[in-house]
Amino acid sequence: VALILSLQTDLLDSQPITTVETLVRNANFFHIDNLNDPRATPVMPPATPDNVTAIGPHSLWLARNSTQGITYAELVHPADLVATELDSSDTTTGWRRVRTKIFPERLEKGVIRRARLCGWFLPSENDEQVAARVARQYLGEPLPLTT
């Protein structure tokens, strides 16, 4: 799953931080700090619904559903990332919300800025290594010019 979000403003100067939300159900969350030595670190959900937990300095995170044997991995290009946060689980349905803020820099009138986010559905077996490998490949690809 790939998302390229383009943004342009009519304002002379703006701070266009935008939030992208991902909903995941019945999964344990992890983040990987080093794509060359992938070790998934558990991300604990906050104690109350009003709190959030930062996922880590990088935005490669994994949502692992061990029951179904599927992992969803998501990465925001580092140049586009502001922060990633995890809400606590909805206890009645098991859904968790991941909020990723993108567009870290100021934007001048008429300038077009693009942000990239990519997600992969993977088998849970060896998901850390596979997620890091596809993330490295994704980071090496140039931004499409025709989006």
Side-chain angles (χ1 to χ4, degrees):
V1 179
L3 170 71
I4 298 175
L5 183 63
S6 296
L7 184 77
Q8 184 177 22
T9 181
D10 290 333
L11 301 174
L12 290 176
D13 186 37
S14 64
Q15 184 70 39
I17 293 176
T18 302
T19 302
V20 177
E21 292 187 345
T22 304
L23 291 171
V24 180
R25 187 173 183 195
N26 299 328
N28 295 314
F29 285 80
F30 302 85
H31 71 87
I32 295 176
D33 287 332
N34 184 346
L35 297 180
N36 295 317
D37 184 20
R39 295 181 191 171
T41 304
V43 178
M44 303 312 285
T48 66
D50 296 333
N51 293 330
V52 294
T53 299
I55 286 190
H58 304 287
S59 193
L60 176 57
W61 57 269
L62 310 175
R64 186 181 295 151
N65 183 319
S66 300
T67 307
Q68 295 182 352
I70 295 174
T71 297
Y72 174 72
E74 188 173 282
L75 176 74
V76 173
H77 195 281
D80 305 327
L81 178 65
V82 175
T84 303
E85 303 170 334
L86 171 65
D87 274 352
S88 63
S89 177
D90 179 335
T91 56
T92 59
T93 63
W95 287 97
R96 287 195 182 148
R97 181 181 322 265
V98 178
R99 289 189 189 97
T100 303
K101 296 179 183 178
I102 55 177
F103 297 118
E105 71 279 337
R106 303 190 75 73
L107 192 62
E108 296 176 5
K109 182 177 181 177
V111 174
I112 297 173
R113 174 72 165 91
R114 292 191 175 112
R116 294 185 282 172
L117 179 146
C118 199
W120 303 272
F121 291 96
L122 312 166
S124 292
E125 184 178 338
N126 298 319
D127 58 359
E128 296 171 27
Q129 291 76 21
V130 174
R133 187 180 76 240
V134 295
R136 285 191 307 269
Q137 180 181 352
Y138 167 71
L139 291 175
E141 296 174 359
L143 180 65
L145 298 176
T146 58
T147 315

